[in-house]
Amino acid sequence: MEEMGFEADLVRWVESFMEDQKVIMSMDRKAGDSMDVEMGVPQGSLVLPVLCVIYLSGLFDQVEDEVTECGSEGISFVDDVAWVVEGEDGGECTQRLERCAAGTTIWAKKNACQFDIEKTQAMLFIGRGKNQEPKMNAGVGVRNYDVSYNTEATRWLGVWLDDMHTLNDHTKKTLAKARRAQNRVRSLMMKKGLSSERCKGIDVAEVQAVALDGSELWWHGQKNRAQEVQVLLNERGRRLTRFFRTTPQEAKMNDASLRPAVALHNNRVRQYKLRQMMMRDAQGGWRMFEVRRNVLQGAEGIDELIPED
């Protein structure tokens, strides 16, 4: 933290927080002896993710500097660490990833850190039209293990990534999960007597949110994907209004106060771009004042939120 330029008071606070920690095991209202804790922080502590990110920050600088010619880039979410490299073929990517893995292992030994090899995965993204055969037989050497490239879509930070970056697997899995959630809500309504109004709230939180999960990454007006979500919404409208199946869909949607799928997708994109605009830049300023219409042309309706110059 001192090397990163944190204020002295904050550094001393963290030092005090980490020192002289004790733990007592309690069972059946009986407490054991107090024991000293030499490392780590209490589970569930709010400072744990922040301290973890600070501790791991030195890893990326060291490995990226050592493997500069590979163009490697380290990205992470708390303790989920990933290395991204580019290459002309699978063999070149494999060599570069192995160098990153070796640098990570060296850093971990020097800093009392260990990465779980059982949770280590390798993903190889191939451009359209290129041969995928080398991917099936290749693997990345990590310590004394060989980590094979995943042949199926890989879930990382909640998103299913396929080798062509189409996100088709992600949309299929989220829609299937949304249908299962919808069936559970229907069961609550039919068997437990849950009111339509309460079911609507559950639908929004469980079914709609799952069906639209990650759509900010792939939505650009595809009619087929909008139709898949619209089918779920139509079923919600019929269940909430108890209209006949032959009733026009627009009437059911209006009576149930449900928005169409295209509008829901567009709104997700607008909210995502607004969050990006409100993030601070490297100098601590607000991006909102720097981003202009050329960045927002793809977000329908966003112009209404930006005042004229």
Side-chain angles (χ1 to χ4, degrees), residues 59 62-63 66-67 83 98-108:
L59 165 65
Q62 178 174 322
V63 176
E66 292 179 353
V67 199
W83 290 105
E98 287 177 344
R99 293 189 61 184
C100 292
T104 302
T105 302
I106 294 173
W107 181 92

Side-chain angles (χ1 to χ4, degrees), residues 81-98:
V81 177
W83 290 105
V84 180
V85 300
E86 295 183 6
E88 293 296 328
D89 52 39
E92 186 176 353
C93 291
T94 299
Q95 292 178 1
R96 294 180 174 182
L97 285 174
E98 287 177 344

